[in-house]
Amino acid sequence: MTKKKRGLKPSSIKQATIFYFVIFAIFLVVLIYSLQSIFINSFYQRMKADEAQQTATDLVAAYNDDRFSFAERAQRVASSNAIYIQIESDEESRIFRGVYDNSNDDYTYEQLAAAAREQLEESSLNSVTLTHTDEVSTRLIYAVYLNPSEADILYIITPLNPSTSTIRILKVQLIYICIISLIIALMMSIVLANRLTRPILKISESAEELSQGNYDTVFDGGEFAETEALAKTLNTASYEMQRTDFYKRDLIANVSHDLKTPLTMIKSYAEMIQDISGDNPEKRREHLNVIITETDRLNKLVTDLLSVSRLQSNQVDLTKEEFDLVEAAQDVYEAFEVLNDQDGYNIIFTGCKPSIINADIDKIKQVMTNLVSNAVKYCGEDKFIQIQLTRTNKKVRFDVIDHGEGIAADELSHVWERYYRTSANHARNVEGTGIGLSIVKGILSLHNAKYGVDSTEGEGSDFWFELDLVKK
Ligand code: ADP
């Protein structure tokens, strides 16, 4: 069941993306709007002042260059920039108006120019700038000498408040920007959300199929690295599930077979005792022995199954003690030695000097037994098996060597997995469940022991492990 965060219904990626995009667009619009309304005046004034100065410089140059065409030029500039221009020389004062406002009659542009002239004459500079504010508006007055003799003066007067029409145009523009950016944000978020969710939806569809047991499902991660990685992981998981499922089915078939054979034997021998050999002590003992052997086999199988399930769920406690591994290996060897005489095996034991280790003796014996009984099952026609112990300064090593079929290189790492059986042995119909080595692996891992297998196909295998010697 999916957990919901504090009762809140988790929103979809689509909703979230659209939501954040729209919020972002709104934030941007509000920001632009507030900046516009706060700074528009000072910004406008700066622009106007710069413009006035630039116009003045141009006009001064034009005046000194060609005085005849100057008037025309000045009128053009005044009209197109909506400013007031005045030229004052000894002979005349000429005015070019490009601005008509409805300010109070308290003053005139000429008065403003006169005020500027006063300041200009007082100052030692070539030009002066002043502003004048009344209830209606603010104006900037710029006065500059037209020639070095300081006889002629140019005045430029320009209103410093943006006109209401300018402000209205800006506002309308802003509304358009708002609408357009909201639409773009909405469209972009829908496109992005679709692109983001498409691979996720595809992956969840595939997962649904997988959950129905369709292992052929392939997860497609689409164009993003993250979804690609997710798909890759899921593909691996699906492959592992398929394999485990296959091994499990295989195990059930094997276990059922392994359980059925002794059970059939037990039943038929019990019937034989009942019907035939009950009164014949010799026959009866023989038949009872078969029953006991088969029961032992059953017992071993069930114990193995239990061990693997315990090891798997980490329910195993080690009872460690100090003992000689060479002696323990000798015990294991002796249990198998009968096969030499009975079945023509050539099992040999090469020990070394006593090697004391600290480990769970029963479990280590189980490991050795599993390895040797595998060698018995999978050894070659020469039926040669060597149990070998070698010791170095700090470690003792146990090897079981056989001259059997060996294991293909690509299967080597898998033999330790639960239920795994190599294809070659599987094909040869050797009985087995594929759990012996996983028990070995589980026990040796609990002991932090190094273990492994060296095997060449067609030549044989060498299963080994190494344990630390107890320091004296
Ligand atoms: P099983 O019950 O099948 O023997 P194990 O876990 O003991 O299960 O072994 C897993 C597989 O490893 C075996 O099925 C076999 O294919 C392979 N194997 C184990 N020991 C040997 C060996 N000595 N030589 C060749 N193959 C081996």
Side-chain angles (χ1 to χ4, degrees):
M1 249 181 59
T2 44
K3 263 193 208 161
K4 289 179 182 176
K5 260 194 222 159
R6 289 195 205 120
L8 275 179
K9 202 174 179 300
S11 57
S12 70
I13 291 185
K14 212 177 231 171
Q15 288 167 344
T17 321
I18 294 173
F19 177 74
Y20 287 119
F21 256 91
V22 169
I23 290 284
F24 178 65
I26 291 175
F27 168 76
L28 219 57
V29 166
V30 170
L31 185 73
I32 295 172
Y33 194 88
S34 18
L35 287 182
Q36 282 268 29
S37 31
I38 295 168
F39 293 119
I40 189 146
N41 275 328
S42 60
F43 188 68
Y44 190 85
Q45 286 179 6
R46 275 278 297 280
M47 292 271 295
K48 277 292 183 186
D50 286 351
E51 200 178 274
Q53 213 162 8
Q54 185 57 45
T55 312
T57 315
D58 291 349
L59 285 177
V60 170
Y63 185 80
N64 292 319
D65 196 35
D66 180 0
R67 210 161 292 188
F68 295 105
S69 63
F70 173 78
E72 195 192 325
R73 168 106 186 237
Q75 183 54 56
R76 215 174 44 235
V77 171
S79 307
S80 61
N81 291 344
I83 54 178
Y84 170 97
I85 298 172
Q86 184 180 346
I87 303 285
E88 197 180 57
S89 63
D90 284 347
E91 307 102 54
E92 56 170 344
S93 175
R94 288 166 66 191
I95 292 166
F96 311 93
R97 269 175 177 275
V99 57
Y100 301 92
D101 56 24
N102 52 355
S103 14
N104 288 346
D105 278 336
D106 289 343
Y107 67 93
T108 60
Y109 281 104
E110 284 90 341
Q111 278 171 323
L112 287 175
R117 183 181 53 228
E118 228 169 81
Q119 278 211 6
L120 184 66
E121 281 166 358
E122 275 170 21
S123 92
S124 56
L125 298 168
N126 182 40
S127 66
V128 291
T129 309
L130 48 150
T131 50
H132 178 272
T133 308
D134 61 23
E135 305 93 64
V136 184
S137 63
T138 304
R139 286 176 185 75
L140 176 123
I141 307 109
Y142 183 78
V144 58
Y145 288 119
L146 276 166
N147 39 27
S149 62
E150 300 188 352
D152 305 343
I153 303 174
L154 165 74
Y155 305 96
I156 290 181
I157 304 177
T158 176
L160 279 185
N161 302 91
S163 72
T164 40
S165 77
T166 313
I167 288 177
R168 214 183 50 240
I169 290 169
L170 283 176
K171 275 198 176 141
V172 172
Q173 263 188 1
L174 214 61
I175 290 169
Y176 280 129
I177 291 175
C178 283
I179 294 170
I180 293 170
S181 50
L182 269 175
I183 292 174
I184 291 177
L186 209 65
M187 281 181 349
M188 273 175 62
S189 56
I190 290 173
V191 170
L192 185 72
N194 277 338
R195 280 182 60 182
L196 275 175
T197 46
R198 206 177 304 131
I200 298 177
L201 289 177
K202 263 168 92 182
I203 287 176
S204 69
E205 266 172 34
S206 305
E208 182 78 36
E209 275 185 41
L210 180 67
S211 71
Q212 319 227 314
N214 181 4
Y215 292 122
D216 295 333
T217 314
V218 176
F219 288 92
D220 177 7
E223 57 194 308
F224 299 106
E226 289 83 357
T227 44
E228 175 111 344
L230 175 65
K232 216 170 143 195
T233 314
L234 286 171
N235 278 328
T236 319
S238 146
Y239 173 70
E240 289 298 330
M241 272 169 73
Q242 182 176 12
R243 246 184 22 172
T244 313
D245 196 48
F246 170 76
Y247 296 148
K248 250 188 203 153
R249 274 186 225 172
D250 206 40
L251 172 81
I252 292 171
N254 282 319
V255 169
S256 330
H257 177 261
D258 286 3
L259 287 174
K260 218 169 157 22
T261 320
L263 281 175
T264 317
M265 299 268 275
I266 291 168
K267 185 168 181 242
S268 40
Y269 277 85
E271 278 171 356
M272 272 210 278
I273 296 170
Q274 189 183 42
D275 300 340
I276 310 164
S277 58
D279 300 330
N280 180 339
E282 204 173 310
K283 280 261 179 223
R284 195 179 57 212
R285 196 173 312 115
E286 198 184 299
H287 292 167
L288 280 172
N289 267 342
V290 175
I291 292 180
I292 290 167
T293 316
E294 291 305 318
T295 318
D296 284 347
R297 251 178 83 181
L298 273 181
N299 196 19
K300 185 184 174 308
L301 181 66
V302 175
T303 315
D304 273 4
L305 285 171
L306 275 177
S307 302
V308 89
S309 97
R310 281 218 197 93
L311 279 166
Q312 199 185 324
S313 49
N314 288 331
Q315 284 176 358
V316 182
D317 290 326
L318 296 180
T319 333
K320 285 194 176 178
E321 61 188 289
E322 292 191 359
F323 66 93
D324 177 12
L325 183 71
V326 184
E327 208 180 301
Q330 178 95 30
D331 290 347
V332 173
Y333 163 69
E334 276 160 17
F336 283 93
E337 206 184 1
V338 284
L339 295 176
N340 285 348
D341 302 330
Q342 249 175 37
D343 297 321
Y345 277 87
N346 178 19
I347 306 176
I348 58 168
F349 180 82
T350 22
C352 60
K353 63 177 181 174
S355 308
I356 307 297
I357 56 165
N358 184 21
D360 186 321
I361 184 163
D362 291 334
K363 301 236 156 39
I364 294 296
K365 274 188 173 176
Q366 189 182 355
V367 166
M368 295 191 286
T369 309
N370 281 5
L371 292 180
V372 178
S373 65
N374 271 354
V376 169
K377 272 196 281 187
Y378 305 113
C379 69
E381 279 173 15
D382 63 357
K383 294 199 165 181
F384 170 85
I385 295 164
Q386 181 181 11
I387 300 169
Q388 176 185 288
L389 285 129
T390 34
R391 75 173 264 180
T392 56
N393 255 352
K394 291 186 176 156
K395 289 184 186 287
V396 54
R397 176 177 160 129
F398 173 91
D399 285 86
V400 184
I401 301 157
D402 66 59
H403 293 161
E405 286 280 315
I407 300 162
D410 58 334
E411 294 191 283
L412 264 185
S413 59
H414 294 305
V415 293
W416 307 97
E417 290 171 14
R418 252 178 310 139
Y419 319 135
Y420 189 86
R421 312 197 60 221
T422 64
S423 41
N425 287 321
H426 211 173
R428 280 166 61 217
N429 259 335
V430 185
E431 264 184 33
T433 49
I435 53 179
L437 286 183
S438 73
I439 294 175
V440 168
K441 173 184 168 177
I443 294 175
L444 291 176
S445 303
L446 281 178
H447 282 88
N448 293 324
K450 265 175 90 179
Y451 61 89
V453 50
D454 308 319
S455 185
T456 317
E457 232 179 328
E459 285 182 22
S461 317
D462 173 359
F463 279 85
W464 59 268
F465 67 84
E466 248 173 26
L467 282 162
D468 289 333
L469 290 169
V470 174
K471 284 186 206 114
K472 292 212 181 89

